mmCIF file of all heavy atoms in Angstrom:
data_model
loop_
_atom_site.group_PDB
_atom_site.id
_atom_site.type_symbol
_atom_site.label_atom_id
_atom_site.label_comp_id
_atom_site.label_asym_id
_atom_site.label_seq_id
_atom_site.Cartn_x
_atom_site.Cartn_y
_atom_site.Cartn_z
ATOM 1 N N GLN A 548 -10.816 21.058 -17.353
ATOM 2 C CA GLN A 548 -11.827 20.023 -17.177
ATOM 3 C C GLN A 548 -12.789 20.355 -16.033
ATOM 4 O O GLN A 548 -13.477 19.472 -15.529
ATOM 5 C CB GLN A 548 -11.153 18.674 -16.922
ATOM 6 C CG GLN A 548 -10.262 18.210 -18.053
ATOM 7 C CD GLN A 548 -9.630 16.854 -17.785
ATOM 8 O OE1 GLN A 548 -10.119 16.080 -16.984
ATOM 9 N NE2 GLN A 548 -8.520 16.581 -18.448
ATOM 10 N N HIS A 549 -12.857 21.631 -15.640
ATOM 11 C CA HIS A 549 -13.635 21.977 -14.449
ATOM 12 C C HIS A 549 -15.123 21.685 -14.593
ATOM 13 O O HIS A 549 -15.816 21.483 -13.587
ATOM 14 C CB HIS A 549 -13.437 23.461 -14.099
ATOM 15 C CG HIS A 549 -14.123 24.415 -15.027
ATOM 16 N ND1 HIS A 549 -13.588 24.764 -16.251
ATOM 17 C CD2 HIS A 549 -15.293 25.083 -14.925
ATOM 18 C CE1 HIS A 549 -14.397 25.603 -16.848
ATOM 19 N NE2 HIS A 549 -15.449 25.827 -16.080
ATOM 20 N N LEU A 550 -15.631 21.631 -15.814
ATOM 21 C CA LEU A 550 -17.048 21.328 -16.006
ATOM 22 C C LEU A 550 -17.385 19.905 -15.587
ATOM 23 O O LEU A 550 -18.553 19.591 -15.324
ATOM 24 C CB LEU A 550 -17.449 21.551 -17.469
ATOM 25 C CG LEU A 550 -17.390 23.005 -17.971
ATOM 26 C CD1 LEU A 550 -17.748 23.062 -19.456
ATOM 27 C CD2 LEU A 550 -18.325 23.893 -17.165
ATOM 28 N N PHE A 551 -16.378 19.044 -15.520
ATOM 29 C CA PHE A 551 -16.595 17.658 -15.112
ATOM 30 C C PHE A 551 -16.241 17.442 -13.638
ATOM 31 O O PHE A 551 -16.325 16.315 -13.135
ATOM 32 C CB PHE A 551 -15.739 16.719 -15.976
ATOM 33 C CG PHE A 551 -15.993 16.880 -17.446
ATOM 34 C CD1 PHE A 551 -15.101 17.580 -18.239
ATOM 35 C CD2 PHE A 551 -17.126 16.355 -18.040
ATOM 36 C CE1 PHE A 551 -15.325 17.745 -19.600
ATOM 37 C CE2 PHE A 551 -17.365 16.513 -19.391
ATOM 38 C CZ PHE A 551 -16.464 17.207 -20.184
ATOM 39 N N LEU A 552 -15.829 18.516 -12.967
ATOM 40 C CA LEU A 552 -15.407 18.433 -11.575
ATOM 41 C C LEU A 552 -16.299 19.317 -10.715
ATOM 42 O O LEU A 552 -17.160 20.026 -11.212
ATOM 43 C CB LEU A 552 -13.945 18.879 -11.443
ATOM 44 C CG LEU A 552 -12.930 18.214 -12.373
ATOM 45 C CD1 LEU A 552 -11.565 18.858 -12.202
ATOM 46 C CD2 LEU A 552 -12.852 16.725 -12.095
ATOM 47 N N GLU A 553 -16.080 19.239 -9.414
ATOM 48 C CA GLU A 553 -16.769 20.115 -8.461
ATOM 49 C C GLU A 553 -15.716 20.894 -7.676
ATOM 50 O O GLU A 553 -14.621 20.371 -7.405
ATOM 51 C CB GLU A 553 -17.628 19.296 -7.494
ATOM 52 C CG GLU A 553 -18.810 18.594 -8.139
ATOM 53 C CD GLU A 553 -19.927 19.565 -8.486
ATOM 54 O OE1 GLU A 553 -19.929 20.698 -7.955
ATOM 55 O OE2 GLU A 553 -20.798 19.191 -9.293
ATOM 56 N N PRO A 554 -15.993 22.148 -7.297
ATOM 57 C CA PRO A 554 -15.014 22.938 -6.556
ATOM 58 C C PRO A 554 -14.536 22.288 -5.256
ATOM 59 O O PRO A 554 -13.417 22.561 -4.807
ATOM 60 C CB PRO A 554 -15.756 24.252 -6.271
ATOM 61 C CG PRO A 554 -16.758 24.353 -7.374
ATOM 62 C CD PRO A 554 -17.198 22.943 -7.637
ATOM 63 N N ASN A 555 -15.357 21.394 -4.674
ATOM 64 C CA ASN A 555 -14.925 20.775 -3.411
ATOM 65 C C ASN A 555 -13.781 19.784 -3.607
ATOM 66 O O ASN A 555 -13.287 19.209 -2.639
ATOM 67 C CB ASN A 555 -16.092 20.113 -2.687
ATOM 68 C CG ASN A 555 -16.717 18.970 -3.471
ATOM 69 O OD1 ASN A 555 -16.164 18.499 -4.469
ATOM 70 N ND2 ASN A 555 -17.886 18.522 -3.033
ATOM 71 N N ILE A 556 -13.339 19.603 -4.862
ATOM 72 C CA ILE A 556 -12.136 18.806 -5.091
ATOM 73 C C ILE A 556 -10.920 19.458 -4.427
ATOM 74 O O ILE A 556 -9.909 18.811 -4.155
ATOM 75 C CB ILE A 556 -11.891 18.620 -6.601
ATOM 76 C CG1 ILE A 556 -10.885 17.498 -6.865
ATOM 77 C CG2 ILE A 556 -11.391 19.898 -7.243
ATOM 78 C CD1 ILE A 556 -10.691 17.209 -8.347
ATOM 79 N N LEU A 557 -11.032 20.768 -4.153
ATOM 80 C CA LEU A 557 -9.920 21.509 -3.550
ATOM 81 C C LEU A 557 -9.861 21.350 -2.034
ATOM 82 O O LEU A 557 -8.880 21.755 -1.411
ATOM 83 C CB LEU A 557 -10.039 23.000 -3.892
ATOM 84 C CG LEU A 557 -10.104 23.349 -5.387
ATOM 85 C CD1 LEU A 557 -10.233 24.857 -5.570
ATOM 86 C CD2 LEU A 557 -8.880 22.831 -6.119
ATOM 87 N N LEU A 558 -10.897 20.769 -1.445
ATOM 88 C CA LEU A 558 -10.883 20.553 0.005
ATOM 89 C C LEU A 558 -9.877 19.462 0.352
ATOM 90 O O LEU A 558 -9.686 18.502 -0.389
ATOM 91 C CB LEU A 558 -12.285 20.153 0.487
ATOM 92 C CG LEU A 558 -13.397 21.184 0.283
ATOM 93 C CD1 LEU A 558 -14.738 20.597 0.709
ATOM 94 C CD2 LEU A 558 -13.094 22.459 1.064
ATOM 95 N N GLY A 559 -9.232 19.611 1.479
ATOM 96 C CA GLY A 559 -8.304 18.584 1.935
ATOM 97 C C GLY A 559 -6.913 18.657 1.346
ATOM 98 O O GLY A 559 -6.102 17.736 1.542
ATOM 99 N N LEU A 560 -6.632 19.743 0.604
ATOM 100 C CA LEU A 560 -5.298 19.857 0.007
ATOM 101 C C LEU A 560 -4.324 20.623 0.900
ATOM 102 O O LEU A 560 -3.185 20.853 0.496
ATOM 103 C CB LEU A 560 -5.394 20.563 -1.358
ATOM 104 C CG LEU A 560 -6.242 19.861 -2.427
ATOM 105 C CD1 LEU A 560 -6.171 20.635 -3.741
ATOM 106 C CD2 LEU A 560 -5.800 18.420 -2.623
ATOM 107 N N ASP A 561 -4.757 20.981 2.099
ATOM 108 C CA ASP A 561 -3.938 21.821 2.972
ATOM 109 C C ASP A 561 -2.604 21.189 3.341
ATOM 110 O O ASP A 561 -1.614 21.882 3.589
ATOM 111 C CB ASP A 561 -4.692 22.140 4.271
ATOM 112 C CG ASP A 561 -6.102 22.648 4.012
ATOM 113 O OD1 ASP A 561 -6.742 22.185 3.058
ATOM 114 O OD2 ASP A 561 -6.555 23.508 4.774
ATOM 115 N N ASP A 562 -2.568 19.846 3.412
ATOM 116 C CA ASP A 562 -1.346 19.176 3.848
ATOM 117 C C ASP A 562 -0.543 18.604 2.684
ATOM 118 O O ASP A 562 0.363 17.802 2.876
ATOM 119 C CB ASP A 562 -1.673 18.068 4.851
ATOM 120 C CG ASP A 562 -2.506 16.949 4.246
ATOM 121 O OD1 ASP A 562 -3.139 17.192 3.190
ATOM 122 O OD2 ASP A 562 -2.531 15.848 4.817
ATOM 123 N N TYR A 563 -0.893 19.024 1.461
ATOM 124 C CA TYR A 563 -0.132 18.567 0.296
ATOM 125 C C TYR A 563 1.156 19.375 0.170
ATOM 126 O O TYR A 563 1.205 20.556 0.495
ATOM 127 C CB TYR A 563 -0.954 18.715 -0.984
ATOM 128 C CG TYR A 563 -1.905 17.568 -1.245
ATOM 129 C CD1 TYR A 563 -2.843 17.186 -0.299
ATOM 130 C CD2 TYR A 563 -1.851 16.853 -2.431
ATOM 131 C CE1 TYR A 563 -3.716 16.135 -0.529
ATOM 132 C CE2 TYR A 563 -2.720 15.807 -2.688
ATOM 133 C CZ TYR A 563 -3.641 15.450 -1.728
ATOM 134 O OH TYR A 563 -4.506 14.406 -1.968
ATOM 135 N N ASP A 564 2.196 18.726 -0.333
ATOM 136 C CA ASP A 564 3.463 19.426 -0.552
ATOM 137 C C ASP A 564 3.425 20.281 -1.813
ATOM 138 O O ASP A 564 4.086 21.309 -1.888
ATOM 139 C CB ASP A 564 4.614 18.413 -0.655
ATOM 140 C CG ASP A 564 4.780 17.619 0.626
ATOM 141 O OD1 ASP A 564 5.251 18.201 1.618
ATOM 142 O OD2 ASP A 564 4.413 16.426 0.627
ATOM 143 N N LEU A 565 2.646 19.840 -2.796
ATOM 144 C CA LEU A 565 2.550 20.568 -4.059
ATOM 145 C C LEU A 565 1.117 20.512 -4.571
ATOM 146 O O LEU A 565 0.517 19.432 -4.654
ATOM 147 C CB LEU A 565 3.483 19.965 -5.114
ATOM 148 C CG LEU A 565 3.410 20.564 -6.523
ATOM 149 C CD1 LEU A 565 3.832 22.027 -6.518
ATOM 150 C CD2 LEU A 565 4.278 19.759 -7.497
ATOM 151 N N VAL A 566 0.587 21.685 -4.895
ATOM 152 C CA VAL A 566 -0.744 21.784 -5.509
ATOM 153 C C VAL A 566 -0.578 22.520 -6.836
ATOM 154 O O VAL A 566 -0.076 23.648 -6.863
ATOM 155 C CB VAL A 566 -1.744 22.536 -4.608
ATOM 156 C CG1 VAL A 566 -3.092 22.687 -5.322
ATOM 157 C CG2 VAL A 566 -1.910 21.816 -3.276
ATOM 158 N N CYS A 567 -0.981 21.876 -7.935
ATOM 159 C CA CYS A 567 -0.867 22.475 -9.264
ATOM 160 C C CYS A 567 -2.263 22.733 -9.819
ATOM 161 O O CYS A 567 -3.073 21.806 -9.931
ATOM 162 C CB CYS A 567 -0.129 21.540 -10.211
ATOM 163 S SG CYS A 567 1.591 21.234 -9.772
ATOM 164 N N LEU A 568 -2.528 23.987 -10.168
ATOM 165 C CA LEU A 568 -3.782 24.375 -10.803
ATOM 166 C C LEU A 568 -3.459 24.818 -12.229
ATOM 167 O O LEU A 568 -2.962 25.929 -12.450
ATOM 168 C CB LEU A 568 -4.458 25.510 -10.033
ATOM 169 C CG LEU A 568 -4.786 25.232 -8.560
ATOM 170 C CD1 LEU A 568 -5.462 26.448 -7.935
ATOM 171 C CD2 LEU A 568 -5.677 23.994 -8.411
ATOM 172 N N ASP A 569 -3.725 23.955 -13.180
ATOM 173 C CA ASP A 569 -3.361 24.216 -14.564
ATOM 174 C C ASP A 569 -4.503 24.932 -15.282
ATOM 175 O O ASP A 569 -5.661 24.521 -15.202
ATOM 176 C CB ASP A 569 -3.057 22.879 -15.257
ATOM 177 C CG ASP A 569 -2.141 23.042 -16.458
ATOM 178 O OD1 ASP A 569 -1.704 24.172 -16.733
ATOM 179 O OD2 ASP A 569 -1.852 22.019 -17.109
ATOM 180 N N ASN A 570 -4.175 26.020 -15.980
ATOM 181 C CA ASN A 570 -5.145 26.784 -16.782
ATOM 182 C C ASN A 570 -6.257 27.396 -15.927
ATOM 183 O O ASN A 570 -7.449 27.170 -16.168
ATOM 184 C CB ASN A 570 -5.752 25.898 -17.878
ATOM 185 C CG ASN A 570 -4.724 25.434 -18.888
ATOM 186 O OD1 ASN A 570 -3.982 26.238 -19.444
ATOM 187 N ND2 ASN A 570 -4.659 24.140 -19.112
ATOM 188 N N ILE A 571 -5.865 28.209 -14.952
ATOM 189 C CA ILE A 571 -6.847 28.823 -14.061
ATOM 190 C C ILE A 571 -7.780 29.776 -14.809
ATOM 191 O O ILE A 571 -8.912 30.036 -14.360
ATOM 192 C CB ILE A 571 -6.145 29.560 -12.897
ATOM 193 C CG1 ILE A 571 -7.147 29.877 -11.789
ATOM 194 C CG2 ILE A 571 -5.440 30.811 -13.384
ATOM 195 C CD1 ILE A 571 -6.512 30.470 -10.547
ATOM 196 N N ASP A 572 -7.352 30.285 -15.952
ATOM 197 C CA ASP A 572 -8.213 31.186 -16.725
ATOM 198 C C ASP A 572 -9.502 30.506 -17.175
ATOM 199 O O ASP A 572 -10.495 31.181 -17.469
ATOM 200 C CB ASP A 572 -7.457 31.727 -17.936
ATOM 201 C CG ASP A 572 -6.807 30.628 -18.760
ATOM 202 O OD1 ASP A 572 -5.784 30.083 -18.318
ATOM 203 O OD2 ASP A 572 -7.329 30.303 -19.842
ATOM 204 N N LYS A 573 -9.518 29.181 -17.213
ATOM 205 C CA LYS A 573 -10.696 28.456 -17.672
ATOM 206 C C LYS A 573 -11.868 28.575 -16.696
ATOM 207 O O LYS A 573 -13.024 28.345 -17.089
ATOM 208 C CB LYS A 573 -10.366 26.979 -17.886
ATOM 209 C CG LYS A 573 -9.302 26.716 -18.940
ATOM 210 C CD LYS A 573 -9.717 27.236 -20.303
ATOM 211 C CE LYS A 573 -8.657 26.902 -21.362
ATOM 212 N NZ LYS A 573 -9.022 27.429 -22.695
ATOM 213 N N ILE A 574 -11.605 28.922 -15.422
ATOM 214 C CA ILE A 574 -12.701 29.038 -14.458
ATOM 215 C C ILE A 574 -13.064 30.498 -14.204
ATOM 216 O O ILE A 574 -13.912 30.781 -13.350
ATOM 217 C CB ILE A 574 -12.381 28.317 -13.131
ATOM 218 C CG1 ILE A 574 -11.127 28.898 -12.462
ATOM 219 C CG2 ILE A 574 -12.203 26.827 -13.377
ATOM 220 C CD1 ILE A 574 -11.328 30.033 -11.527
ATOM 221 N N ALA A 575 -12.445 31.432 -14.907
ATOM 222 C CA ALA A 575 -12.742 32.855 -14.717
ATOM 223 C C ALA A 575 -14.215 33.130 -14.994
ATOM 224 O O ALA A 575 -14.769 32.691 -16.004
ATOM 225 C CB ALA A 575 -11.867 33.712 -15.628
ATOM 226 N N GLY A 576 -14.861 33.836 -14.071
ATOM 227 C CA GLY A 576 -16.275 34.128 -14.213
ATOM 228 C C GLY A 576 -17.182 33.133 -13.515
ATOM 229 O O GLY A 576 -18.379 33.368 -13.385
ATOM 230 N N ASN A 577 -16.609 32.024 -13.055
ATOM 231 C CA ASN A 577 -17.372 31.027 -12.303
ATOM 232 C C ASN A 577 -17.161 31.310 -10.821
ATOM 233 O O ASN A 577 -16.113 30.986 -10.248
ATOM 234 C CB ASN A 577 -16.900 29.626 -12.669
ATOM 235 C CG ASN A 577 -17.738 28.529 -12.034
ATOM 236 O OD1 ASN A 577 -18.045 28.579 -10.845
ATOM 237 N ND2 ASN A 577 -18.093 27.531 -12.827
ATOM 238 N N ARG A 578 -18.153 31.925 -10.171
ATOM 239 C CA ARG A 578 -17.980 32.389 -8.798
ATOM 240 C C ARG A 578 -17.655 31.251 -7.829
ATOM 241 O O ARG A 578 -16.814 31.409 -6.942
ATOM 242 C CB ARG A 578 -19.226 33.135 -8.319
ATOM 243 C CG ARG A 578 -19.109 33.670 -6.894
ATOM 244 C CD ARG A 578 -20.266 34.557 -6.531
ATOM 245 N NE ARG A 578 -20.229 35.809 -7.278
ATOM 246 C CZ ARG A 578 -19.504 36.866 -6.897
ATOM 247 N NH1 ARG A 578 -18.752 36.807 -5.805
ATOM 248 N NH2 ARG A 578 -19.527 37.975 -7.606
ATOM 249 N N LEU A 579 -18.301 30.097 -7.987
ATOM 250 C CA LEU A 579 -18.057 28.993 -7.062
ATOM 251 C C LEU A 579 -16.605 28.534 -7.123
ATOM 252 O O LEU A 579 -15.967 28.299 -6.092
ATOM 253 C CB LEU A 579 -19.001 27.825 -7.376
ATOM 254 C CG LEU A 579 -20.476 28.045 -7.047
ATOM 255 C CD1 LEU A 579 -21.289 26.821 -7.456
ATOM 256 C CD2 LEU A 579 -20.661 28.336 -5.559
ATOM 257 N N TRP A 580 -16.085 28.425 -8.341
ATOM 258 C CA TRP A 580 -14.695 28.015 -8.485
ATOM 259 C C TRP A 580 -13.737 29.102 -7.991
ATOM 260 O O TRP A 580 -12.740 28.800 -7.322
ATOM 261 C CB TRP A 580 -14.389 27.674 -9.943
ATOM 262 C CG TRP A 580 -14.651 26.241 -10.275
ATOM 263 C CD1 TRP A 580 -15.734 25.730 -10.943
ATOM 264 C CD2 TRP A 580 -13.818 25.117 -9.955
ATOM 265 N NE1 TRP A 580 -15.629 24.367 -11.048
ATOM 266 C CE2 TRP A 580 -14.455 23.962 -10.455
ATOM 267 C CE3 TRP A 580 -12.603 24.983 -9.291
ATOM 268 C CZ2 TRP A 580 -13.923 22.683 -10.324
ATOM 269 C CZ3 TRP A 580 -12.060 23.711 -9.147
ATOM 270 C CH2 TRP A 580 -12.702 22.576 -9.653
ATOM 271 N N GLU A 581 -14.028 30.336 -8.299
ATOM 272 C CA GLU A 581 -13.151 31.429 -7.853
ATOM 273 C C GLU A 581 -13.112 31.489 -6.326
ATOM 274 O O GLU A 581 -12.032 31.647 -5.725
ATOM 275 C CB GLU A 581 -13.627 32.751 -8.433
ATOM 276 C CG GLU A 581 -13.382 32.878 -9.935
ATOM 277 C CD GLU A 581 -13.601 34.291 -10.446
ATOM 278 O OE1 GLU A 581 -13.493 35.240 -9.634
ATOM 279 O OE2 GLU A 581 -13.878 34.459 -11.647
ATOM 280 N N GLU A 582 -14.248 31.362 -5.683
ATOM 281 C CA GLU A 582 -14.281 31.394 -4.219
ATOM 282 C C GLU A 582 -13.560 30.189 -3.631
ATOM 283 O O GLU A 582 -12.865 30.311 -2.612
ATOM 284 C CB GLU A 582 -15.731 31.434 -3.729
ATOM 285 C CG GLU A 582 -16.432 32.766 -4.027
ATOM 286 C CD GLU A 582 -17.888 32.755 -3.615
ATOM 287 O OE1 GLU A 582 -18.433 31.656 -3.366
ATOM 288 O OE2 GLU A 582 -18.496 33.850 -3.563
ATOM 289 N N ALA A 583 -13.691 29.024 -4.261
ATOM 290 C CA ALA A 583 -13.020 27.817 -3.767
ATOM 291 C C ALA A 583 -11.503 27.952 -3.870
ATOM 292 O O ALA A 583 -10.762 27.541 -2.959
ATOM 293 C CB ALA A 583 -13.502 26.596 -4.545
ATOM 294 N N ILE A 584 -11.018 28.540 -4.955
ATOM 295 C CA ILE A 584 -9.573 28.720 -5.120
ATOM 296 C C ILE A 584 -9.053 29.782 -4.151
ATOM 297 O O ILE A 584 -7.977 29.627 -3.571
ATOM 298 C CB ILE A 584 -9.244 29.079 -6.583
ATOM 299 C CG1 ILE A 584 -9.535 27.872 -7.484
ATOM 300 C CG2 ILE A 584 -7.779 29.506 -6.713
ATOM 301 C CD1 ILE A 584 -9.386 28.164 -8.964
ATOM 302 N N PHE A 585 -9.833 30.850 -3.955
ATOM 303 C CA PHE A 585 -9.457 31.875 -2.981
ATOM 304 C C PHE A 585 -9.358 31.266 -1.579
ATOM 305 O O PHE A 585 -8.402 31.525 -0.833
ATOM 306 C CB PHE A 585 -10.477 33.006 -2.995
ATOM 307 C CG PHE A 585 -10.233 34.068 -1.961
ATOM 308 C CD1 PHE A 585 -9.188 34.965 -2.093
ATOM 309 C CD2 PHE A 585 -11.058 34.168 -0.846
ATOM 310 C CE1 PHE A 585 -8.957 35.959 -1.135
ATOM 311 C CE2 PHE A 585 -10.830 35.149 0.111
ATOM 312 C CZ PHE A 585 -9.787 36.041 -0.030
ATOM 313 N N ASP A 586 -10.334 30.439 -1.230
ATOM 314 C CA ASP A 586 -10.319 29.779 0.077
ATOM 315 C C ASP A 586 -9.138 28.828 0.202
ATOM 316 O O ASP A 586 -8.476 28.766 1.243
ATOM 317 C CB ASP A 586 -11.635 29.027 0.282
ATOM 318 C CG ASP A 586 -11.723 28.369 1.650
ATOM 319 O OD1 ASP A 586 -11.628 29.093 2.666
ATOM 320 O OD2 ASP A 586 -11.866 27.137 1.718
ATOM 321 N N LEU A 587 -8.847 28.083 -0.871
ATOM 322 C CA LEU A 587 -7.692 27.181 -0.867
ATOM 323 C C LEU A 587 -6.408 27.965 -0.643
ATOM 324 O O LEU A 587 -5.550 27.562 0.149
ATOM 325 C CB LEU A 587 -7.610 26.429 -2.205
ATOM 326 C CG LEU A 587 -6.317 25.633 -2.450
ATOM 327 C CD1 LEU A 587 -6.187 24.496 -1.453
ATOM 328 C CD2 LEU A 587 -6.274 25.117 -3.884
ATOM 329 N N PHE A 588 -6.266 29.076 -1.331
ATOM 330 C CA PHE A 588 -5.083 29.916 -1.201
ATOM 331 C C PHE A 588 -4.884 30.316 0.259
ATOM 332 O O PHE A 588 -3.777 30.206 0.815
ATOM 333 C CB PHE A 588 -5.237 31.159 -2.075
ATOM 334 C CG PHE A 588 -3.938 31.711 -2.593
ATOM 335 C CD1 PHE A 588 -3.668 31.723 -3.948
ATOM 336 C CD2 PHE A 588 -2.990 32.226 -1.726
ATOM 337 C CE1 PHE A 588 -2.480 32.245 -4.443
ATOM 338 C CE2 PHE A 588 -1.794 32.765 -2.197
ATOM 339 C CZ PHE A 588 -1.543 32.766 -3.563
ATOM 340 N N ASN A 589 -5.953 30.758 0.922
ATOM 341 C CA ASN A 589 -5.858 31.184 2.319
ATOM 342 C C ASN A 589 -5.487 30.020 3.234
ATOM 343 O O ASN A 589 -4.696 30.186 4.178
ATOM 344 C CB ASN A 589 -7.177 31.814 2.768
ATOM 345 C CG ASN A 589 -7.423 33.163 2.111
ATOM 346 O OD1 ASN A 589 -6.484 33.829 1.682
ATOM 347 N ND2 ASN A 589 -8.680 33.564 2.026
ATOM 348 N N ARG A 590 -6.041 28.846 2.978
ATOM 349 C CA ARG A 590 -5.715 27.680 3.803
ATOM 350 C C ARG A 590 -4.253 27.277 3.630
ATOM 351 O O ARG A 590 -3.579 26.884 4.587
ATOM 352 C CB ARG A 590 -6.625 26.501 3.447
ATOM 353 C CG ARG A 590 -8.105 26.747 3.730
ATOM 354 C CD ARG A 590 -8.895 25.439 3.797
ATOM 355 N NE ARG A 590 -8.580 24.516 2.738
ATOM 356 C CZ ARG A 590 -9.177 24.477 1.544
ATOM 357 N NH1 ARG A 590 -10.114 25.391 1.239
ATOM 358 N NH2 ARG A 590 -8.841 23.571 0.650
ATOM 359 N N LEU A 591 -3.757 27.366 2.395
ATOM 360 C CA LEU A 591 -2.358 27.006 2.150
ATOM 361 C C LEU A 591 -1.411 28.001 2.813
ATOM 362 O O LEU A 591 -0.348 27.610 3.311
ATOM 363 C CB LEU A 591 -2.094 26.938 0.642
ATOM 364 C CG LEU A 591 -2.834 25.833 -0.120
ATOM 365 C CD1 LEU A 591 -2.482 25.893 -1.603
ATOM 366 C CD2 LEU A 591 -2.517 24.461 0.449
ATOM 367 N N ILE A 592 -1.784 29.273 2.814
ATOM 368 C CA ILE A 592 -0.972 30.272 3.511
ATOM 369 C C ILE A 592 -0.909 29.945 5.004
ATOM 370 O O ILE A 592 0.153 30.008 5.630
ATOM 371 C CB ILE A 592 -1.546 31.688 3.295
ATOM 372 C CG1 ILE A 592 -1.375 32.110 1.834
ATOM 373 C CG2 ILE A 592 -0.864 32.694 4.212
ATOM 374 C CD1 ILE A 592 -2.029 33.438 1.512
ATOM 375 N N GLU A 593 -2.048 29.577 5.551
ATOM 376 C CA GLU A 593 -2.112 29.285 6.984
ATOM 377 C C GLU A 593 -1.326 28.031 7.346
ATOM 378 O O GLU A 593 -0.622 28.000 8.358
ATOM 379 C CB GLU A 593 -3.570 29.115 7.414
ATOM 380 C CG GLU A 593 -3.753 28.918 8.912
ATOM 381 C CD GLU A 593 -5.205 28.870 9.318
ATOM 382 O OE1 GLU A 593 -6.079 29.150 8.476
ATOM 383 O OE2 GLU A 593 -5.472 28.546 10.492
ATOM 384 N N SER A 594 -1.423 26.994 6.520
ATOM 385 C CA SER A 594 -0.688 25.759 6.818
ATOM 386 C C SER A 594 0.813 25.922 6.600
ATOM 387 O O SER A 594 1.629 25.239 7.224
ATOM 388 C CB SER A 594 -1.211 24.611 5.948
ATOM 389 O OG SER A 594 -0.963 24.855 4.571
ATOM 390 N N ASN A 595 1.194 26.816 5.654
ATOM 391 C CA ASN A 595 2.586 27.226 5.448
ATOM 392 C C ASN A 595 3.532 26.051 5.174
ATOM 393 O O ASN A 595 4.617 25.968 5.718
ATOM 394 C CB ASN A 595 3.097 28.022 6.652
ATOM 395 C CG ASN A 595 4.356 28.807 6.320
ATOM 396 O OD1 ASN A 595 4.516 29.263 5.200
ATOM 397 N ND2 ASN A 595 5.246 28.955 7.290
#
């Protein structure tokens, strides 16, 4: 459903216990979404 959402939906998830990204292949080729998920991944690693 990413066409109805914005990548900034991923902001603020650093303190969540569980983050589920279903069907990540659907955003392949969308640079804004790919960069947002990459950034989220790094933030989650840091918050640990």
Side-chain angles (χ1 to χ4, degrees):
Q548 299 181 22
H549 73 280
L550 294 177
F551 304 103
L552 308 175
E553 293 286 343
N555 63 12
I556 195 176
L557 304 179
L558 298 176
L560 299 183
D561 310 35
D562 64 340
Y563 277 55
D564 298 288
L565 176 63
V566 177
C567 295
L568 302 180
D569 204 2
N570 296 308
I571 195 174
D572 51 285
K573 299 300 183 181
I574 60 89
N577 186 314
R578 181 172 291 276
L579 290 178
W580 271 102
E581 289 192 24
E582 290 176 345
I584 292 174
F585 176 72
D586 183 59
L587 170 65
F588 210 116
N589 290 336
R590 297 199 315 271
L591 294 180
I592 292 175
E593 185 175 351
S594 64
N595 197 33

